[in-house]
Amino acid sequence: MPRLFDFTDAIVRRPGASVVHGLRACGGPDPSLVGILAEHAAYVAALRDAGLAVTVLDPLEDFPDAIFVEDPALVFPGAAIMLNPGAPSRAGEAALLRPVLAARFEQVLGLDEGHADGGDVLVMPDKVFIGLSARTDRTGAAALARLLEGLGYNPVIAETPPDVLHLKTASSLIDEETVLATRTLAESGIFAGYRVIAVPEDEEAGANVLRVGDHLILSSRFPRTADLLDRCGAQLLRIANAEIEKIDAGFTCMSLRWRAA
Ligand code: CIR
């Protein structure tokens, strides 16, 4: 029986030169283009090392944040959902991704009102958490919940902690019973019933990791988080993300992943 994270395929988008103008919540200098290209290439290599067939889409220069393909869309077995990203500069991304997903998924659904980013959606075996954030509003969360219910999922709308970009900036699936989360999110109680691994306080930026099959992709910058995750039975693929992190990148948001039928 395949596990939730036993994916076979992924889509990513190669960064264009405009990526250095990507949004960032806390300001700060532009990242280096050369650095981002190298880190993105290492990310794609890690997905391939984890066993995925990866399709690399061409850059979209008009959309500096378009490498974060999991914000304008979500994918589930047999169905893709086109979302409506909450950042105005990202509003056109879903329409450009739609044909790519229509060629791969039987059903392509679309959010009919409000705003929601895929980064606010954490899929667990029995629930799909939708985080309310500066990018995902109540109307969008409710519209997404209706679509998920129609696909047979059990959506749960929760609060993303203040000052956190997305729910998955602060939490990640480790396995079907286990979540990695910042202390604030762990203590909020939303993950009651799951095993929760709390990220060390000085490594909160390491709460976003990506489970793919028997591998976990994570940042090379957080050794204490890596020590905690080393006991989880997955092989750690630690990669550099110092440049791409300047535009608030996470490992989950840079790909769409699914298991081919
Ligand atoms: C943004 O602010 O939209 C991008 N610079 C970063 C998006 C990262 N996505 C994610 O955490 N799901």
Side-chain angles (χ1 to χ4, degrees):
M1 178 79 174
R3 298 164 298 180
L4 191 58
F5 43 82
D6 284 331
F7 307 116
T8 55
D9 291 73
I11 285 176
V12 302
R13 189 180 293 286
R14 199 173 30 247
S18 67
V19 71
V20 300
H21 305 304
L23 296 171
R24 62 212 76 173
C26 299
D30 283 356
S32 125
L33 177 59
V34 171
I36 289 210
L37 290 171
E39 290 173 5
H40 193 266
Y43 174 74
V44 174
L47 293 176
R48 289 186 170 132
D49 286 348
L52 300 190
V54 183
T55 300
V56 182
L57 304 176
D58 288 337
L60 292 178
E61 290 294 357
D62 290 343
F63 295 92
D65 289 296
I67 61 169
F68 303 113
V69 288
E70 203 200 37
D71 288 325
L74 288 168
V75 296
F76 297 90
I81 300 180
M82 306 317 302
L83 299 169
N84 186 15
S89 66
R90 305 196 59 187
E93 291 180 25
L96 294 165
L97 199 51
R98 187 180 192 110
V100 175
L101 298 180
R104 290 165 173 82
F105 290 84
E106 251 167 65
Q107 228 187 332
V108 180
L109 306 171
L111 202 72
D112 54 10
E113 53 179 350
H115 293 98
D117 277 17
D120 278 315
V121 180
L122 175 66
V123 181
M124 294 300 292
D126 58 337
K127 284 181 194 148
V128 179
F129 292 98
I130 306 172
L132 297 168
S133 71
R135 302 289 179 87
T136 297
D137 57 27
R138 284 190 186 276
T139 307
L144 177 57
R146 287 193 295 276
L147 292 174
L148 289 168
E149 276 164 358
L151 292 173
Y153 292 95
N154 175 24
V156 174
I157 298 177
E159 293 287 342
T160 295
D163 304 324
V164 171
L165 177 60
H166 287 125
L167 183 66
K168 278 190 301 206
T169 310
S171 59
S172 312
L173 170 144
I174 299 301
D175 61 35
E176 293 188 310
E177 292 91 38
T178 313
V179 183
L180 177 71
T182 60
R183 210 158 284 274
T184 310
L185 201 52
E187 287 170 0
S188 75
I190 73 161
F191 296 129
Y194 300 102
R195 192 160 77 95
V196 182
I197 301 174
V199 179
E201 262 163 36
D202 55 347
E203 295 196 356
E204 292 218 321
N208 180 275
V209 303
L210 173 59
R211 180 77 193 250
V212 178
D214 292 330
H215 296 79
L216 253 182
I217 300 175
L218 69 161
S219 168
S220 53
R221 298 207 302 117
F222 302 114
R224 294 175 58 218
T225 305
D227 280 350
L228 290 173
L229 296 177
D230 212 14
R231 300 173 211 144
C232 293
Q235 186 185 334
L236 304 190
L237 298 174
R238 297 180 65 188
I239 59 176
N241 66 335
E243 288 306 310
I244 218 156
E245 204 185 38
K246 290 179 183 163
I247 51 166
D248 299 342
F251 294 112
T252 49
C253 57
M254 291 195 288
S255 58
L256 285 164
R257 307 151 300 274
W258 70 96
R259 180 175 184 79

